[in-house]
Amino acid sequence: MRSFAFICLLSFLIIPAFAQSLETYEQPVPGTTVNFKMVPIPAGSFLMGSPSSETGRDNDEGPQKSIEISAFWMAEHEVTFAEWDAFFKNMDVPQTKAIAVDAISRPTAQYIDLTWGMGRDAKQPSNSMSQSAAIMYCKWLYSQTGIFYRLPTEAEWEYACRAGTTTAYPFGDDPGALRDYAYFKDNSGDKFHKVAQLKPNAWGLYDMLGNLTEWTLDQYDDNTYKKLEDHAKDPVKDPGSRYPRVTRGGSYLAPAKESRCANRISSLADWNKRDPQVPKSRWWLTDGKSIGFRVVRPAVAPSKEAIEQFYVSYLK
């Protein structure tokens, strides 16, 4: 893993005056009566990855590395349809087939129901979008609020999921308790559920495991941890090709062993295999119905120039 230019920008090209006290707050969704809660995640260090003794472990989860993480906020739950539709159905935002990196575009219309009959309740998590669509949502939210939102890095996601624990799950190593915290293969009924219906982890985050698999910023590399230096601070694998990128958390379709804090899931071109368009949609995943996301906000805001460079870099 390299020194990660974009997080360097976000971490070091900062304006100290933008720092804010790290407390829980409610973020109104522009154009709606909907709010979502942002939970403070304290700075700290943790062991990223899993030990070789962990049940269900894959080779790409090691060797474990000690990682330092700067403070940030993370959304209490996955982005819901109520939040997503404030962007997706906003007719004031131009709709383009391509991703316009220099502008804000809303996704093209869906020509089939990409919830696949699971419902579109305001409190259900929004699904089936590409990483680019999720980042464009963050860019739109930034334009509306003046607050820099983005996807979590893979390291931030795992740090937040663990919430200070070192076990396979945030509650211990016994998967028998997973049904109290996550909708996964054994208790989901093969569909996603409204957010925040089960127990949160120790830092107050709901559905970190199960329900929808969540996008992170990182490019996937099965040798990431072998290349990563111990005590790296805020690492992220820079964006490269469209596939594979890293998703985390398992989903309503995944067994318990895939719904562990350390499990890494690489995105696949097959997640759009039924898309008849040429080229295939940059916005939607016809075969990624279990994919969603949640947003984070760094505790110290980057400069305006660094934020703009960040969005361009991920939406190119």
Side-chain angles (χ1 to χ4, degrees):
M1 189 175 285
R2 290 178 287 163
S3 184
F4 316 108
F6 303 111
I7 289 302
C8 285
L9 282 169
L10 300 182
S11 298
F12 303 132
L13 298 181
I14 58 176
I15 299 176
F18 288 180
Q20 181 176 321
S21 175
L22 205 65
E23 299 177 352
T24 298
Y25 69 93
E26 293 279 346
Q27 174 61 63
V29 180
T32 74
T33 58
V34 176
N35 293 349
F36 62 87
K37 182 181 290 185
M38 294 296 289
V39 177
I41 306 298
S45 61
F46 78 113
L47 269 182
M48 188 173 181
S50 61
S52 57
S53 58
E54 186 165 299
T55 301
R57 179 184 191 266
D58 295 317
N59 289 335
D60 65 353
E61 298 172 22
Q64 287 181 288
K65 294 294 174 69
S66 178
I67 299 298
E68 298 179 17
I69 298 291
S70 299
F72 64 99
W73 285 272
M74 176 174 265
E76 178 188 56
H77 55 69
E78 293 156 345
V79 172
T80 64
F81 278 112
E83 297 162 33
W84 173 257
D85 283 350
F87 164 60
F88 178 43
K89 295 184 177 180
N90 187 338
M91 296 303 159
D92 293 332
V93 181
Q95 189 179 60
T96 60
K97 187 172 183 178
I99 301 288
V101 298
D102 295 330
I104 296 173
S105 306
R106 64 188 167 91
T108 54
Q110 298 176 345
Y111 54 88
I112 55 174
D113 171 23
L114 292 179
T115 74
W116 298 99
M118 290 184 282
R120 218 174 183 287
D121 184 276
K123 293 186 177 180
Q124 287 177 313
S126 183
N127 72 320
S128 295
M129 78 289 295
S130 68
Q131 189 202 50
S132 294
I135 293 175
M136 187 62 85
Y137 171 84
C138 296
K139 185 178 180 180
W140 169 80
L141 197 56
Y142 166 59
S143 74
Q144 298 295 302
T145 64
I147 297 173
F148 177 46
Y149 288 102
R150 59 171 170 79
L151 300 179
T153 67
E154 184 177 12
E156 289 171 337
W157 189 96
E158 183 173 328
Y159 178 65
C161 181
R162 292 187 175 283
T165 65
T166 59
T167 47
Y169 308 94
F171 49 82
D173 287 320
D174 181 6
L178 185 58
R179 61 180 57 248
D180 294 333
Y181 294 84
Y183 289 111
F184 65 115
K185 184 176 181 179
D186 290 1
N187 68 345
S188 69
D190 291 332
K191 61 182 180 181
F192 57 55
H193 293 259
K194 294 179 182 178
V195 299
Q197 301 299 299
L198 301 175
K199 292 181 179 178
N201 70 10
W203 286 350
L205 301 169
Y206 292 87
D207 306 315
M208 288 298 290
L209 301 178
N211 224 14
L212 295 183
T213 303
E214 300 176 13
W215 283 114
T216 73
L217 287 176
D218 296 59
Q219 194 76 23
Y220 176 81
D221 180 344
D222 57 4
N223 289 314
T224 287
Y225 298 173
K226 294 177 182 175
K227 302 172 184 175
L228 183 60
E229 295 182 358
D230 248 336
H231 308 296
K233 185 173 184 179
D234 299 326
V236 62
K237 183 76 171 175
D238 293 348
S241 59
R242 184 177 177 185
Y243 300 103
R245 304 283 172 97
V246 178
T247 64
R248 288 293 202 119
S251 75
Y252 64 92
L253 295 172
K257 71 174 186 177
E258 296 178 9
S259 302
R260 296 173 293 108
C261 295
N263 188 45
R264 309 174 68 215
I265 305 158
S266 63
S267 66
L268 302 169
D270 275 359
W271 290 0
N272 250 357
K273 64 183 179 184
R274 282 184 286 184
D275 186 343
Q277 301 175 90
V278 180
K280 294 184 183 298
S281 173
R282 288 287 308 275
W283 298 103
W284 303 113
L285 303 175
T286 54
D287 301 87
K289 61 184 180 181
S290 63
I291 306 302
F293 70 105
R294 74 177 71 208
V295 300
V296 298
R297 171 190 176 185
V300 180
S303 68
K304 180 181 178 182
E305 292 74 19
I307 292 172
E308 291 174 351
Q309 184 176 342
F310 167 85
Y311 287 129
V312 168
S313 299
Y314 279 91
L315 294 172
K316 62 186 177 182

Short mmCIF file of all heavy atoms in Angstrom, two decimals, residues 16 18-22 41 70-73 150 297-302:
data_model
loop_
_atom_site.label_atom_id
_atom_site.label_comp_id
_atom_site.label_asym_id
_atom_site.label_seq_id
_atom_site.Cartn_x
_atom_site.Cartn_y
_atom_site.Cartn_z
N PRO A 16 -6.76 24.37 10.00
CA PRO A 16 -7.12 24.07 11.38
C PRO A 16 -8.41 24.74 11.83
O PRO A 16 -9.13 24.20 12.66
CB PRO A 16 -5.91 24.59 12.16
CG PRO A 16 -4.77 24.48 11.19
CD PRO A 16 -5.38 24.82 9.87
N PHE A 18 -11.09 24.80 10.51
CA PHE A 18 -12.25 24.00 10.18
C PHE A 18 -12.48 22.86 11.17
O PHE A 18 -13.46 22.14 11.07
CB PHE A 18 -12.11 23.40 8.78
CG PHE A 18 -12.24 24.42 7.67
CD1 PHE A 18 -12.13 24.04 6.35
CD2 PHE A 18 -12.49 25.76 7.96
CE1 PHE A 18 -12.26 24.97 5.33
CE2 PHE A 18 -12.61 26.70 6.95
CZ PHE A 18 -12.49 26.31 5.63
N ALA A 19 -11.54 22.65 12.09
CA ALA A 19 -11.72 21.59 13.06
C ALA A 19 -12.94 21.89 13.93
O ALA A 19 -13.26 23.02 14.23
CB ALA A 19 -10.48 21.47 13.93
N GLN A 20 -13.65 20.84 14.34
CA GLN A 20 -14.88 21.02 15.11
C GLN A 20 -14.91 20.02 16.24
O GLN A 20 -14.37 18.92 16.13
CB GLN A 20 -16.09 20.82 14.19
CG GLN A 20 -17.43 21.01 14.90
CD GLN A 20 -18.59 20.88 13.92
OE1 GLN A 20 -18.51 21.35 12.79
NE2 GLN A 20 -19.65 20.25 14.36
N SER A 21 -15.52 20.42 17.35
CA SER A 21 -15.65 19.51 18.48
C SER A 21 -16.33 18.23 18.05
O SER A 21 -17.33 18.25 17.33
CB SER A 21 -16.46 20.21 19.57
OG SER A 21 -16.71 19.33 20.63
N LEU A 22 -15.80 17.10 18.50
CA LEU A 22 -16.29 15.81 18.03
C LEU A 22 -17.46 15.34 18.89
O LEU A 22 -17.27 14.62 19.87
CB LEU A 22 -15.14 14.79 18.06
CG LEU A 22 -15.27 13.62 17.10
CD1 LEU A 22 -15.23 14.09 15.66
CD2 LEU A 22 -14.17 12.60 17.35
N ILE A 41 -16.28 9.18 15.96
CA ILE A 41 -15.37 8.03 16.07
C ILE A 41 -14.02 8.59 16.53
O ILE A 41 -13.38 9.35 15.79
CB ILE A 41 -15.22 7.30 14.72
CG1 ILE A 41 -16.61 6.92 14.15
CG2 ILE A 41 -14.33 6.07 14.89
CD1 ILE A 41 -17.40 5.97 15.00
N SER A 70 -7.18 8.74 12.31
CA SER A 70 -7.58 10.06 12.80
C SER A 70 -9.07 10.06 13.12
O SER A 70 -9.84 9.23 12.60
CB SER A 70 -7.29 11.12 11.74
OG SER A 70 -5.91 11.18 11.44
N ALA A 71 -9.49 11.01 13.94
CA ALA A 71 -10.89 11.07 14.34
C ALA A 71 -11.78 11.44 13.15
O ALA A 71 -11.38 12.17 12.25
CB ALA A 71 -11.05 12.10 15.45
N PHE A 72 -12.99 10.94 13.18
CA PHE A 72 -13.97 11.25 12.13
C PHE A 72 -15.37 10.99 12.66
O PHE A 72 -15.55 10.47 13.76
CB PHE A 72 -13.69 10.45 10.86
CG PHE A 72 -13.82 8.95 10.99
CD1 PHE A 72 -14.97 8.28 10.57
CD2 PHE A 72 -12.78 8.18 11.53
CE1 PHE A 72 -15.08 6.90 10.68
CE2 PHE A 72 -12.89 6.79 11.65
CZ PHE A 72 -14.03 6.15 11.23
N TRP A 73 -16.34 11.39 11.89
CA TRP A 73 -17.72 11.00 12.16
C TRP A 73 -18.14 9.94 11.15
O TRP A 73 -17.70 9.97 9.99
CB TRP A 73 -18.68 12.17 12.00
CG TRP A 73 -18.70 13.21 13.07
CD1 TRP A 73 -19.46 13.20 14.21
CD2 TRP A 73 -17.99 14.45 13.09
NE1 TRP A 73 -19.24 14.35 14.94
CE2 TRP A 73 -18.34 15.14 14.27
CE3 TRP A 73 -17.07 15.05 12.22
CZ2 TRP A 73 -17.83 16.40 14.61
CZ3 TRP A 73 -16.55 16.29 12.55
CH2 TRP A 73 -16.93 16.95 13.73
N ARG A 150 -17.79 11.86 2.50
CA ARG A 150 -17.20 10.89 1.56
C ARG A 150 -17.49 9.49 2.08
O ARG A 150 -18.10 9.31 3.15
CB ARG A 150 -15.69 11.12 1.42
CG ARG A 150 -14.90 11.00 2.74
CD ARG A 150 -13.40 11.01 2.47
NE ARG A 150 -12.58 11.14 3.64
CZ ARG A 150 -12.27 10.16 4.49
NH1 ARG A 150 -12.76 8.94 4.30
NH2 ARG A 150 -11.49 10.37 5.54
N ARG A 297 -17.34 11.75 7.75
CA ARG A 297 -16.87 13.14 7.68
C ARG A 297 -15.60 13.24 8.51
O ARG A 297 -15.63 12.92 9.71
CB ARG A 297 -17.94 14.08 8.24
CG ARG A 297 -17.49 15.51 8.41
CD ARG A 297 -18.51 16.31 9.18
NE ARG A 297 -18.05 17.67 9.44
CZ ARG A 297 -18.70 18.56 10.18
NH1 ARG A 297 -19.86 18.23 10.74
NH2 ARG A 297 -18.20 19.78 10.36
N PRO A 298 -14.48 13.65 7.94
CA PRO A 298 -13.25 13.82 8.74
C PRO A 298 -13.47 14.85 9.83
O PRO A 298 -14.18 15.84 9.63
CB PRO A 298 -12.22 14.30 7.71
CG PRO A 298 -12.78 13.93 6.38
CD PRO A 298 -14.27 13.98 6.52
N ALA A 299 -12.82 14.66 10.98
CA ALA A 299 -12.97 15.62 12.08
C ALA A 299 -12.33 16.95 11.74
O ALA A 299 -12.77 17.99 12.23
CB ALA A 299 -12.34 15.05 13.35
N VAL A 300 -11.28 16.91 10.92
CA VAL A 300 -10.63 18.14 10.47
C VAL A 300 -10.85 18.24 8.97
O VAL A 300 -10.43 17.37 8.21
CB VAL A 300 -9.13 18.12 10.79
CG1 VAL A 300 -8.47 19.42 10.32
CG2 VAL A 300 -8.91 17.93 12.30
N ALA A 301 -11.50 19.32 8.56
CA ALA A 301 -11.87 19.44 7.16
C ALA A 301 -10.67 19.77 6.29
O ALA A 301 -9.83 20.59 6.68
CB ALA A 301 -12.93 20.52 7.00
N PRO A 302 -10.55 19.15 5.12
CA PRO A 302 -9.51 19.55 4.16
C PRO A 302 -9.84 20.92 3.58
O PRO A 302 -10.93 21.46 3.79
CB PRO A 302 -9.61 18.47 3.08
CG PRO A 302 -10.49 17.41 3.61
CD PRO A 302 -11.37 18.05 4.63
#
